[in-house]
Amino acid sequence: AQSVTQLGSHVSVSEGALVLLRCNYSSSVPPYLFWYVQYPNQGLQLLLKYTTGATLVKGINGFEAEFKKSETSFHLTKPSAHMSDAAEYFCAVSDDATSGSRLTFGEGTQLTVNP
Amino acid sequence: DAGITQSPRYKITETGRQVTLMCHQTWSHSYMFWYRQDLGHGLRLIYYSAAADITDKGEVSDGYVVSRSKTENFPLTLESATRSQTSVYFCASGLVSRNEQFFGPGTRLTVL
């Protein structure tokens, strides 16, 4: 069975500071990994995904994540936070790259950006 | 170009009543999903469908029923609503060829 652990349900940073949101996963097969963002009162939007190939993945809005198999991690980073980054972020894992695969989500991390 | 829509956006009902949440997508995506979002649990899969007339249970399917007679619609029915089904419900869709699920705006359901 797959599982995802997001360390820290709430993260607070200052505008311009580094954003680091942590995600560790458990999977019995090579995983496919995703980060989604949810703005208030909206659905989830894909930020980035790792399927195969390069382990450093770049996404929208300046975010990137690195797949580290040895650490079973897929942490999300952004060099400089912007006020508009305030949202809830979800890490998800699947054992299949197709969109028909079943996603297992972490509990989410609420990011607050302080002026 | 509406994409994926859900209705109603907000619903209040009483324990024991039947409730149907609607999901409609305009992309002709083959796969569709229903999730519920609860504090401390993230999103959990209720049901999914690979195509019209093909559905399968997810992690938390008890108390829910789905149907998919047309590719574009995937209604979720709570047969006899309970307070524990108070939640935000998200519908999603996706293509086999894309590594992405597209989410609707959600339905906030309160069961009194």
Side-chain angles (χ1 to χ4, degrees):
Chain A
Q2 302 164 100
S3 66
V4 175
T5 301
Q6 291 184 238
L7 190 61
S9 57
H10 291 84
V11 170
S12 182
V13 300
S14 298
E15 192 173 18
L18 171 72
V19 175
L20 171 60
L21 304 183
R22 299 178 187 274
C23 172
N24 288 90
Y25 69 90
S26 170
S27 178
S28 58
V29 297
Y32 298 96
L33 297 158
F34 306 81
W35 275 101
Y36 282 85
V37 60
Q38 183 181 29
Y39 298 104
N41 298 315
Q42 294 186 27
L44 278 68
Q45 177 184 0
L46 182 69
L47 267 180
L48 50 78
K49 60 191 177 190
Y50 168 80
T51 54
T52 59
T55 56
L56 181 62
V57 180
K58 295 186 185 299
I60 61 172
N61 301 337
F63 284 94
E64 62 182 36
E66 186 171 11
F67 169 57
K68 292 187 176 181
K69 184 178 179 181
S70 61
E71 298 178 7
T72 61
S73 69
F74 191 57
H75 302 330
L76 182 70
T77 61
K78 182 175 181 177
S80 177
H82 192 273
M83 297 295 289
S84 61
D85 295 327
E88 187 152 24
Y89 292 80
F90 292 94
C91 182
V93 64
S94 170
D95 60 4
D96 187 310
T98 70
S99 63
S101 62
R102 296 162 59 150
L103 291 173
T104 299
F105 285 87
E107 295 180 5
T109 298
Q110 183 69 46
L111 176 66
T112 300
V113 182
N114 301 306
Chain B
D1 184 9
I4 184 165
T5 57
Q6 294 183 234
S7 62
R9 293 292 314 277
Y10 302 90
K11 176 74 176 179
I12 299 174
T13 191
E14 295 177 337
T15 301
R17 290 190 179 270
Q18 184 180 81
V19 177
T20 296
L21 309 183
M22 304 301 294
C23 178
H24 176 78
Q25 52 112 348
T26 60
W27 295 307
S28 299
H29 287 169
S30 55
Y31 280 87
M32 296 189 75
F33 309 83
W34 274 106
Y35 295 89
R36 59 177 289 173
Q37 182 180 24
D38 303 289
L39 196 63
H41 290 280
L43 277 79
R44 292 178 291 175
L45 182 66
I46 305 172
Y47 266 97
Y48 67 104
S49 169
D53 298 321
I54 301 175
T55 62
D56 206 352
K57 294 180 178 180
E59 180 186 354
V60 290
S61 61
D62 287 348
Y64 301 95
V65 175
V66 294
S67 62
R68 195 168 176 204
S69 58
K70 294 184 178 181
T71 299
E72 61 267 29
N73 297 324
F74 191 39
L76 175 73
T77 298
L78 288 66
E79 295 182 295
S80 178
T82 65
R83 289 196 180 91
S84 65
Q85 293 177 311
T86 292
S87 185
V88 180
Y89 291 84
F90 287 100
C91 179
S93 71
L95 274 173
V96 173
S97 59
R98 292 277 305 268
N99 302 326
E100 182 174 353
Q101 292 183 20
F102 298 86
F103 284 79
T107 294
R108 185 175 294 274
L109 176 68
T110 301
V111 182
L112 301 176

